[in-house]
Amino acid sequence: MTYVSGTIAAVAEDKKDAYIAFARKTWPLFRDYGALSMMENWGDMVPDGELTSFPMAVKLEEGEVVVFSWILWPDRDTAEACWSTMDTDERWAEMGEMPFDGKRMIYGGFQTVLEERA
């Protein structure tokens, strides 16, 4: 089954275009390293929670939006091989600064256990 690298981040509303442009620049590299697809999702119905929530998890500030993203890989080994190039492939550094606070980004890798499609 496939493998998913997922992230949740807080992005300033006025940096939406910069965020999308940055994400578009990353796709060719992820694709070169074997990614099958990439999804970038701008929050529009992300409620605050009492105990936990996406806004709480990223310490959302006034004027920011929660962004939910993931990359689909054929397997974990392919994903890990890509991530291991972040310090060695100079194309990553050429991307420039991320248009959000990376310290508040949450990320992880997930094994697919069920996949249904229409």
Side-chain angles (χ1 to χ4, degrees), residues 3-7 30 33 71 73 76-88 92 107-109:
Y3 191 76
V4 175
S5 297
T7 63
F30 288 127
Y33 283 107
I71 301 169
W73 303 95
R76 180 178 174 171
D77 289 343
T78 304
E80 287 181 347
C82 176
W83 299 124
S84 73
T85 69
M86 294 287 180
D87 293 330
T88 58
W92 294 115
Y107 59 91

Side-chain angles (χ1 to χ4, degrees), residues 37-111:
S37 65
M38 181 174 85
M39 297 287 291
E40 297 291 337
N41 305 278
W42 194 259
D44 75 349
M45 190 179 71
V46 186
D48 288 321
E50 289 184 32
L51 212 50
T52 188
S53 66
F54 286 129
M56 291 168 73
V58 297
K59 298 183 189 267
L60 195 69
E61 297 176 0
E62 185 73 31
E64 292 181 331
V65 173
V66 174
V67 176
F68 177 50
S69 309
W70 71 89
I71 301 169
L72 184 65
W73 303 95
D75 51 51
R76 180 178 174 171
D77 289 343
T78 304
E80 287 181 347
C82 176
W83 299 124
S84 73
T85 69
M86 294 287 180
D87 293 330
T88 58
D89 187 330
E90 61 201 34
R91 296 177 295 170
W92 294 115
E94 293 168 4
M95 295 288 160
E97 293 278 327
M98 295 184 295
F100 59 91
D101 182 358
K103 293 177 190 157
R104 292 187 287 142
M105 179 176 69
I106 299 168
Y107 59 91
F110 303 86
Q111 294 179 354

